[in-house]
Amino acid sequence: SCQDSEQLKYEQYFSEGYTLYTAYCANCHQADGGGLADLYPPLLRPELAHDRARFICIVKHGIADTLWIDGKRYTRPMPGNARLPDIEIAEITTYVLTKWANDSTYTSIETVTQALAACQ
């Protein structure tokens, strides 16, 4: 293959992220990222890529607040998954932001570690 190491890493993270998303996220956010009624928000939002650090913090620590997105209220809290290691959060983030936020870069482990250190 003529791919460089960064492209190979991106493809690996995307592939692993799909598997992890299916195991941990799809039950609520659905396989197509469309969310579930007024309970769980869709992930089909390009703005997710603009606040990667917040997305990472939510994956790890969850969110207890009611969310308002585009004038719609989502009432179910999202439990965090404190057991996910940084690599798996990087892979989930890469998958979600590529698939539904039109992002074309992979999320590095270093990015996850920095974001989690800054979480409130």
Side-chain angles (χ1 to χ4, degrees):
S1 162
C2 297
Q3 296 173 322
D4 64 19
S5 63
E6 293 297 304
Q7 181 63 30
L8 289 172
K9 186 174 278 193
Y10 168 80
E11 290 179 8
Q12 174 192 355
Y13 277 37
F14 183 85
S15 176
E16 292 295 324
Y18 167 76
T19 301
L20 294 164
Y21 177 85
T22 301
Y24 295 113
C25 314
N27 190 46
C28 297
H29 294 286
Q30 305 302 293
D32 66 357
L36 185 61
D38 293 333
L39 302 174
Y40 302 103
L43 299 175
L44 310 166
R45 302 188 340 260
E47 68 271 13
L48 289 176
H50 300 300
D51 200 350
R52 185 180 311 266
R54 182 170 186 260
F55 182 84
I56 289 166
C57 290
I58 291 171
V59 169
K60 181 79 169 195
H61 301 294
I63 189 167
D65 300 333
T66 295
L67 293 176
W68 287 90
I69 300 171
D70 297 330
K72 190 170 183 180
R73 181 175 179 232
Y74 296 93
T75 58
R76 298 293 294 203
M78 181 182 146
N81 195 330
R83 291 186 172 193
L84 284 176
D86 291 2
I87 180 68
E88 290 182 352
I89 294 173
E91 293 165 340
I92 290 169
T93 302
T94 298
Y95 175 74
V96 169
L97 298 187
T98 297
K99 187 79 173 168
W100 297 303
N102 301 320
D103 191 47
S104 60
T105 59
Y106 79 94
T107 300
S108 69
I109 297 169
E110 294 79 19
T111 298
V112 171
T113 302
Q114 290 171 359
L116 292 176
C119 289
Q120 300 299 333

